[in-house]
Amino acid sequence: MSFIIYFALLLIIPLWAQSKVKKTYKKYSKVPTSSSLTGAEVARKILDDNGLYNVAVEEVRGKLSDHYDPRSKVVRLSSDNYHGRSAAGAAVAAHEVGHAIQDAQDYAFLRFRSALVPVASFGSNISIFLIIGGFLFGMMNLALLGIIFFAAAVLFQLVTLPVEFDASNRAMSQLVSTGIIRNDEERQTKKVLNAAAMTYVAAALVALAELIRFILMFTGMGEE
C-alpha cells in the first residue's frame, strides 16, 4: 500500500505544480499592467537599463516555452508573452531577463548549473537503465554507477532552485525599479513567479525522493 501511495505522490506533485502555474498564468494573462508594455518591450527595457544591448529578444513558438539562451545571448518569449500586455507576460519576460543578468554578472549557481548540463543530461537518460539492469542481474557495481549518474541529474535539479528563485527576485526588483509595474501590482506579479517556481520545487522533490529510494534499495540488496 505504501508503495502505491509513494508513486501516487510522485505523479500528483508535478501535476499539481503544473496545474497551479497554468491556472495562475491564465488568470493574470488577462490582467493588464499599468505601463501597457508588451512582454518584448518589457524584456528590451530591462535589458537596456542594465546595459545588455547585445542580448536579443525573439519570439518563439509554443505555450510557456519562454527561456534565455546563454550561448546565443537571446531571450526567447512565447507568442502570447511576446505580444501580450499582461501582468503574466511582464513577469515571465522579466524572469527570463533575470537569467540574462545572471549570465552577465557570472552568477555562480548559473555557471555551476551550466557545467552540470552534459553529465546531468547523460545521467538522466541512461541512469535508470543501469539501475534496473544492475538490480535485475545482481550487478551491484552497475546499479551503483547508475545511482551516481542519477545523483548528478538530481544535483542539477537542486542547483536549478537558487538559479530560478534568484531570477524571480531580480525580475521583481527590475519591474518595480523601472516603473513597469506599480507597487500595487507587485502582489499579482509575485503570484505568477511563485507559481512558476513551484514547478522546479516539485521536480526537485520528486527527483530527490527517487534518488533516496534507489539508495535504500541498493543498501538493502547489499546487505542480503
Side-chain angles (χ1 to χ4, degrees):
M1 184 64 181
S2 59
F3 187 73
I4 295 174
I5 294 174
Y6 171 79
F7 279 103
L9 288 174
L10 289 187
L11 179 64
I12 290 171
I13 291 175
L15 288 177
W16 169 80
Q18 287 292 336
S19 175
K20 182 176 177 62
V21 72
K22 288 179 180 178
K23 182 179 178 180
T24 304
Y25 177 81
K26 183 177 180 180
K27 178 180 179 180
Y28 290 105
S29 63
K30 299 175 182 177
V31 179
T33 59
S34 56
S35 64
S36 295
L37 296 177
T38 65
E41 291 169 339
V42 168
R44 187 71 269 159
K45 179 174 175 54
I46 297 176
L47 287 168
D48 289 350
D49 283 357
N50 285 271
L52 300 180
Y53 307 107
N54 63 315
V55 177
V57 180
E58 298 178 354
E59 183 178 358
V60 67
R61 293 180 180 179
K63 191 78 171 180
L64 292 177
S65 52
D66 315 80
H67 64 280
Y68 169 66
D69 184 345
R71 291 170 297 181
S72 302
K73 307 299 180 188
V74 177
V75 169
R76 296 194 174 98
L77 302 177
S78 56
S79 296
D80 288 345
N81 292 328
Y82 188 92
H83 298 287
R85 302 175 186 275
S86 67
V92 172
H95 176 87
E96 298 309 329
V97 173
H99 288 308
I101 296 173
Q102 289 175 335
D103 186 24
Q105 296 180 353
D106 283 325
Y107 180 60
F109 281 110
L110 181 66
R111 289 286 173 260
F112 186 34
R113 187 178 72 167
S114 296
L116 285 173
V117 167
V119 65
S121 178
F122 179 77
S124 62
N125 289 328
I126 198 173
S127 60
I128 191 68
F129 298 106
L130 295 177
I131 293 170
I132 292 175
F135 287 154
L136 282 177
F137 299 108
M139 301 171 65
M140 301 311 293
N141 286 337
L142 185 65
L144 178 59
L145 181 62
I147 291 173
I148 292 172
F149 279 128
F150 190 80
V154 173
L155 179 60
F156 178 84
Q157 295 277 11
L158 294 176
V159 173
T160 292
L161 295 181
V163 173
E164 296 301 327
F165 282 117
D166 180 77
S168 290
N169 289 336
R170 291 172 189 265
M172 280 303 305
S173 176
Q174 292 293 325
L175 286 169
V176 174
S177 65
T178 55
I180 294 172
I181 63 171
R182 299 191 306 253
N183 291 335
D184 60 347
E185 295 175 301
E186 288 185 47
R187 188 166 176 267
Q188 60 196 26
T189 305
K190 283 181 179 178
K191 285 186 176 181
V192 176
L193 294 171
N194 289 340
M198 285 307 300
T199 61
Y200 295 102
V201 173
L205 286 175
V206 169
L208 186 59
E210 278 288 82
L211 176 61
I212 292 172
R213 183 172 72 91
F214 288 142
I215 292 174
L216 290 176
M217 289 174 63
F218 179 81
T219 55
M221 291 185 71
E223 292 174 357
E224 293 179 357

